Amino acid sequence: MNVLIAISSKHHSEPTLKAGMKVANAFSASSTVLEVGEKINEFSMKEVYMARERIESWNFDRPGVDVLEWAFNYLCKEKLINDSSIERGFPKNTLVENSSRRSEVFLEKGKAKNISLIIRNGDIIEELRNEVQSGDYDVTVLGGSKSGNLSFDMVQYIESSIFIVKNFQTKKKNKILLAVDSSKGSKKAIKHCVGIANAFNIEVEIITVTQDVKLKKANQNITEYASKFLRRFNIKNKIIFEEGNPVDVIPKKAGNDHILVIGSSSRGPIKTFFQSSTPIKILKKCNCPILVVK
Amino acid sequence: MSNLTNQLISNILFWLSRKKWLVIAFFISVSLFYVETPEGLTSDAHRTLIIVVTALILIVSESIPLPAIAMLILIMEVVLGVDTADGVASSFMSDAVFFIMGSLMLAVAIVHQGLDKRLALSIINVTGNKTWRIAFGFVFFSALMSSFIGEHTVAAMMLPVALALLRYSGKKPHQTSNLSSLLLFSIAYGCALGSIGTPSGGGRNAIMIGYFSEFNIARISYWDWIKYAYPMMLIEVPIASSILWLTFKPKKKILDSAVRKLKVSVAKDGKLSSNQVLSIVIFIFVFFSWIFFSPSIGLGIVALMGVFFYLSFRLIDWQDLTRRTNWGVVILFGSVISLGIQMNETGAAKWLADSILNSLSNSIVDPSNLRWFFSVIVSGIMTNLLSNAATVAILGPIVLEMGGDPIILGMSTSIASAFAYLTIVASPTCMIIYSTGLISSKDYIKAGWKLFIISITLLLLISIFYWPILS
């Protein structure tokens, strides 16, 4: 399993990196820490690179390297990188440009528990999408954004599961709110929920919100399935039945003290493009970390 | 199968969401094609204007790569029947394009010599360690050098000097402060001011000189341009420095330890190498050739002579040169200049100029005085949205058809296109300082609007009181 953790700066990305690494560890996954820098317009691209070369000739770091260095130090502090690498410090001289918009710091593979550090420059959605496609990632972890469109684009266009670390307080003991219904995505969400519950060592509340009475029975079945599945992994859980519109009820129930886990919509891409989908609507309203499982 | 279809649809939707401006440009151009040709506009001119609108939308939105926009312009010119393939090809290459190509290559060759450390030492030796003197020195030296060797060359060389001072003064990477804004904007604005000083300050100046000669208005030499524009540059240097100082007043008024550390760091490099000396000699030769030979052989050919010497003396390898030269920009300006020439030849520029003047006369009393304001303000705004050379290439043919004194209007348009103070995308220099991560996009407006208004006022005064004396 591969986890991609997108960070922007040490001021804003500590919860994202912490939550992302917990998830990666829970799934014993390889993890890639990615910093997406500002998009440089084409008129200026070569000139900016020329200026960067001069900066590097003075032994100063190009923008973005300091963010990766901070991430490296964080990983060292958490003992996620082996001792010999820590002693040598951040290996900025191994930063290699793979393409005009992507550079990678080479850490000693195997010893660094399969961690990669990457810088990309450009449009955030485009860069994340390219990275996810080329690296075959299963989960992309990123910080919450005020822009609703960004969340929409993430869920709509990025093929991996998306974990948006919004308002995540590292010291607070959250619970998981697993939202399920009779759709296909829910079963996948239940499986991922096990990993998240183990990563954060927390309880799970399984919620199903019924709007249509006809679906009540099907929803009951899936909640029971989820409860049994979680018990098998010794994860404490309780079931909550609610009636109403899931888009209103779930964010309200999640508040800011849950990690919400939800399956992606089974709607086709065209319908989602024009009408959005329930997970995207919930994501826009939610004020807590949310994992949309694909 | 359904998964594959969904993936394909998702890919198409993603492409459409990223390229929406390409789709919009397509629909606008098709709609304009079927709109009845307005009175007074020939069919060729109508079709030329469709290409102009399409090109502008694509350049501003950057929804497709610049070379692709360039090729689309050339293809549309031929397919829409504005000109023959040979006609388009011959208007594609001109001395102005040679100049843009040559100056971009010269920039690469000069920056490659690593003269920035020498430059740092020279500037610091002159300015001393007081922060205001350093900021003034940055504006002055950036303006002085960029007036001869082009703005992005200077920005690339000055940037490490500013970063060194910031780092040595104890600033951590990514730590923003008034001091970082002051020093970085001193470079960007200094370079922008300097670029108006001589034709070699920026490609747009060469484009305007090209239009003057192509449209049989006048032959402006390198020295003529200096007489017109250099005084304005010199007046603006202290004004820009003061505005920047008042907007970004730093806490540290003296940078003694940073200056000391900078001197120590630079001193390690020893004396100038023979290659560095040779590269300076070649540039001085190019500069004098621009003054003395460019009236007869063209600005572009002189720039290419410089590139020839840098390559022949092995001061730079062709591989290094070609990797760092922005060919996309060269091709784009070639096609935009070709479009400008078509605008003139088909009468599209004249029709647009007349329409603008008519619409001004409907709402305002005397349009003749407003030609100047139109040229300068539209040029100033456009340059902050697209690029200064593209602004001059598109706007030039229109303002030169507006009547009045075309030299004053043309020079004003070209100079106003240097007022790229307000946005990150306004010029490569603005992007270079932004890419350090030490300034925010709001900072551009903070200082830029003041300098923008003062520059326009100063340009007005110079065009009223000084330029008529010259002509």
Side-chain angles (χ1 to χ4, degrees):
Chain A
M1 189 164 172
N2 296 324
V3 174
L4 179 68
I5 306 165
I7 57 171
S8 57
S9 71
K10 60 182 171 185
H11 304 295
H12 300 111
S13 301
E14 188 169 346
T16 313
L17 186 56
K18 195 162 191 168
M21 288 311 297
K22 273 191 172 188
V23 172
N25 282 343
F27 289 105
S28 307
S30 300
S31 47
T32 299
V33 179
L34 170 75
E35 201 264 328
V36 180
E38 293 290 344
K39 185 180 178 185
I40 298 162
N41 75 343
E42 263 192 90
F43 278 110
S44 319
M45 197 170 274
K46 296 273 182 176
E47 285 75 9
V48 169
Y49 288 152
M50 208 154 68
R52 277 188 183 164
E53 282 178 9
R54 295 316 310 151
I55 293 172
E56 281 165 2
S57 78
W58 284 62
N59 286 330
F60 296 142
D61 299 334
R62 53 179 272 194
V65 174
D66 57 312
V67 181
L68 285 194
E69 187 168 8
W70 161 76
F72 176 87
N73 290 335
Y74 174 84
L75 298 172
C76 291
K77 204 174 78 188
E78 298 292 312
K79 303 274 177 214
L80 295 166
I81 287 178
N82 80 312
D83 292 343
S84 65
S85 288
I86 296 170
E87 278 162 25
R88 279 198 285 276
F90 179 58
K92 64 180 80 168
N93 48 354
T94 64
L95 182 77
V96 175
E97 216 162 84
N98 307 119
S99 72
S100 64
R101 297 205 308 241
R102 186 182 188 275
S103 307
E104 182 169 0
V105 175
F106 281 94
L107 300 174
E108 289 172 86
K109 288 285 171 198
K111 292 180 179 174
K113 296 194 180 167
N114 292 330
I115 292 171
S116 309
L117 299 170
I118 290 169
I119 304 179
R120 273 181 176 268
N121 277 95
D123 173 72
I124 183 156
I125 304 283
E126 238 173 282
E127 296 308 314
L128 280 174
R129 194 170 189 269
N130 287 340
E131 192 62 40
V132 168
Q133 275 181 350
S134 61
D136 202 18
Y137 290 96
D138 303 285
V139 182
T140 301
V141 184
L142 63 154
S145 150
K146 284 175 191 158
S147 152
N149 290 339
L150 188 66
S151 316
F152 171 88
D153 286 353
M154 291 289 173
V155 178
Q156 168 89 350
Y157 301 122
I158 292 180
E159 282 164 17
S160 69
S161 299
I162 308 286
F163 185 23
I164 297 183
V165 187
K166 206 192 261 185
N167 292 330
F168 179 64
Q169 290 159 8
T170 44
K171 286 176 188 161
K172 200 169 170 181
K173 190 95 177 166
N174 294 322
K175 282 181 186 170
I176 289 174
L177 188 66
L178 170 65
V180 291
D181 62 8
S182 52
S183 67
K184 274 184 199 168
S186 287
K187 284 201 171 170
K188 262 192 166 179
I190 296 165
K191 282 177 196 159
H192 272 70
C193 181
V194 172
I196 302 287
N198 283 333
F200 294 90
N201 193 21
I202 48 178
E203 291 173 23
V204 178
E205 290 178 355
I206 306 162
I207 187 170
T208 182
V209 182
T210 317
Q211 204 168 12
D212 188 347
V213 186
K214 286 177 210 162
L215 296 171
K216 203 168 180 179
K217 183 71 191 153
N219 284 352
Q220 270 177 351
N221 289 343
I222 188 83
T223 45
E224 278 163 23
Y225 168 81
S227 180
K228 246 188 224 172
F229 196 89
L230 293 171
R231 274 203 305 273
R232 215 183 295 160
F233 290 92
N234 294 325
I235 296 166
K236 275 190 196 171
N237 64 81
K238 73 170 186 186
I239 298 172
I240 303 167
F241 288 103
E242 292 278 350
E243 281 184 11
N245 186 351
V247 175
D248 298 321
V249 177
I250 293 174
K252 214 173 184 182
K253 199 79 195 164
N256 57 7
D257 56 354
H258 283 86
I259 297 172
L260 179 62
V261 179
I262 192 167
S264 70
S265 168
S266 50
R267 269 187 179 176
I270 296 184
K271 224 172 175 184
T272 312
F273 184 81
F274 288 108
Q275 297 178 351
S276 189
S277 68
T278 307
I280 290 172
K281 286 177 190 163
I282 291 173
L283 191 153
K284 281 182 180 174
K285 280 194 171 182
C286 241
N287 210 21
C288 65
I290 172 168
L291 171 69
V292 181
V293 180
K294 285 189 178 177
Chain B
M1 187 67 191
S2 119
N3 248 355
L4 260 180
T5 322
N6 275 348
Q7 208 173 344
L8 182 69
I9 294 171
S10 180
N11 283 343
I12 294 170
L13 288 173
F14 180 71
W15 186 87
L16 285 174
S17 76
R18 300 293 115 180
K19 308 285 176 198
K20 55 180 177 278
W21 283 106
L22 176 64
V23 179
I24 291 170
F26 174 76
F27 282 112
I28 288 179
S29 59
V30 170
S31 321
L32 287 176
F33 186 78
Y34 287 106
V35 166
E36 205 182 320
T37 307
E39 207 181 315
L41 194 67
T42 64
S43 160
D44 279 354
H46 177 191
R47 279 172 273 164
T48 305
L49 289 180
I50 294 173
I51 307 172
V52 172
V53 172
T54 312
L56 280 177
I57 294 174
L58 294 178
I59 293 172
V60 174
S61 65
E62 273 198 55
S63 51
I64 55 173
L66 297 183
I69 302 173
M71 281 157 207
L72 184 67
I73 293 171
L74 299 177
I75 293 166
M76 284 178 84
E77 280 180 341
V78 177
V79 172
L80 292 178
V82 176
D83 204 346
T84 61
D86 285 339
V88 169
S90 62
S91 66
F92 175 76
M93 215 17 118
S94 62
D95 188 60
V97 182
F98 277 162
F99 175 78
I100 290 168
M101 184 169 80
S103 63
L104 286 175
M105 289 159 99
L106 274 181
V108 175
I110 292 168
V111 173
H112 186 71
Q113 306 309 319
L115 286 161
D116 29 35
K117 294 197 173 172
R118 304 274 134 219
L119 186 67
L121 195 60
S122 318
I123 293 174
I124 292 303
N125 280 340
V126 174
T127 61
N129 59 9
K130 286 197 174 107
T131 314
W132 77 266
R133 287 181 62 126
I134 293 173
F136 179 80
F138 271 33
V139 178
F140 178 74
F141 283 104
S142 300
L144 184 76
M145 289 187 300
S146 75
S147 67
F148 301 116
I149 57 176
E151 50 185 321
H152 36 262
T153 322
V154 178
M157 291 200 294
M158 289 291 288
L159 188 70
V161 184
L163 291 183
L165 279 175
L166 291 171
R167 199 63 63 84
Y168 296 148
S169 68
K171 294 268 175 284
K172 290 184 183 122
H174 257 88
Q175 191 181 359
T176 54
S177 67
N178 272 0
L179 182 64
S180 51
S181 303
L182 176 71
L183 295 184
L184 293 173
F185 277 107
S186 297
I187 296 172
Y189 289 175
C191 289
L193 298 180
S195 68
I196 66 174
T198 77
S200 58
R204 60 190 180 278
N205 301 343
I207 294 174
M208 190 49 86
I209 289 178
Y211 282 158
F212 281 146
S213 119
E214 180 84 26
F215 306 156
N216 295 320
I217 293 167
R219 294 191 77 84
I220 300 283
S221 69
Y222 197 89
W223 184 245
D224 290 336
W225 189 285
I226 289 179
K227 282 192 287 183
Y228 271 91
Y230 223 84
M232 169 150 177
M233 184 204 105
L234 292 175
I235 297 168
E236 280 224 273
V237 167
I239 295 174
S241 309
S242 314
I243 288 174
L244 286 173
W245 180 258
L246 293 173
T247 312
F248 303 111
K249 220 172 212 170
K251 280 184 196 156
K252 284 192 175 181
K253 301 285 189 283
I254 294 178
L255 298 176
D256 48 352
S257 81
V259 166
R260 223 175 18 249
K261 284 178 189 164
L262 180 70
K263 282 184 178 171
V264 172
S265 146
V266 172
K268 283 179 198 158
D269 265 32
K271 287 181 179 170
L272 275 176
S273 70
S274 54
N275 277 359
Q276 287 174 328
V277 174
L278 188 56
S279 71
I280 294 170
V281 171
I282 292 175
F283 187 76
I284 291 170
F285 168 76
V286 170
F287 170 64
F288 282 109
S289 303
W290 269 327
I291 293 181
F292 296 112
F293 305 133
S294 71
S296 52
I297 63 171
L299 288 163
I301 294 295
V302 173
L304 291 182
M305 272 164 59
V307 178
F308 166 78
F309 286 123
Y310 277 103
L311 279 170
S312 304
F313 285 108
R314 296 235 166 241
L315 294 171
I316 188 163
D317 289 336
W318 173 247
Q319 273 72 16
D320 284 332
L321 193 63
T322 191
R323 191 164 60 84
R324 293 184 179 92
T325 303
N326 202 338
W327 295 108
V329 167
V330 178
I331 300 173
L332 181 74
F333 291 146
S335 60
V336 175
I337 292 168
S338 150
L339 190 56
I341 292 169
Q342 302 297 355
M343 280 171 76
N344 180 268
E345 285 179 359
T346 58
K350 176 94 179 92
W351 181 82
L352 264 181
D354 291 344
S355 308
I356 291 161
L357 284 177
N358 283 340
S359 67
L360 287 175
S361 67
N362 288 340
S363 51
I364 299 159
V365 192
D366 183 9
S368 57
N369 296 329
L370 287 163
R371 285 185 197 114
W372 186 89
F373 279 102
F374 171 82
S375 318
V376 167
I377 289 169
V378 173
S379 174
I381 291 170
M382 270 174 79
T383 197
N384 280 288
L385 297 177
L386 41 141
S387 100
N388 36 35
T391 299
V392 171
I394 300 272
L395 203 58
I398 303 169
V399 301
L400 295 178
E401 290 285 359
M402 276 191 153
D405 186 338
I407 295 183
I408 287 185
L409 284 183
M411 290 290 295
S412 302
T413 306
S414 191
I415 289 175
S417 74
F419 302 161
Y421 311 132
L422 303 172
T423 61
I424 301 155
V425 295
S427 71
T429 319
C430 289
M431 193 48 117
I432 285 173
I433 62 163
Y434 181 69
S435 71
T436 59
L438 291 170
I439 42 179
S440 78
S441 51
K442 285 179 196 155
D443 290 337
Y444 286 80
I445 301 281
K446 232 172 161 180
W449 74 269
K450 300 170 199 164
L451 193 56
F452 189 79
I453 289 173
I454 290 177
S455 299
I456 288 180
T457 314
L458 188 64
L459 181 56
L460 176 67
L461 294 175
I462 282 189
S463 64
I464 292 175
F465 297 110
Y466 174 60
W467 288 350
I469 304 170
L470 295 176
S471 52

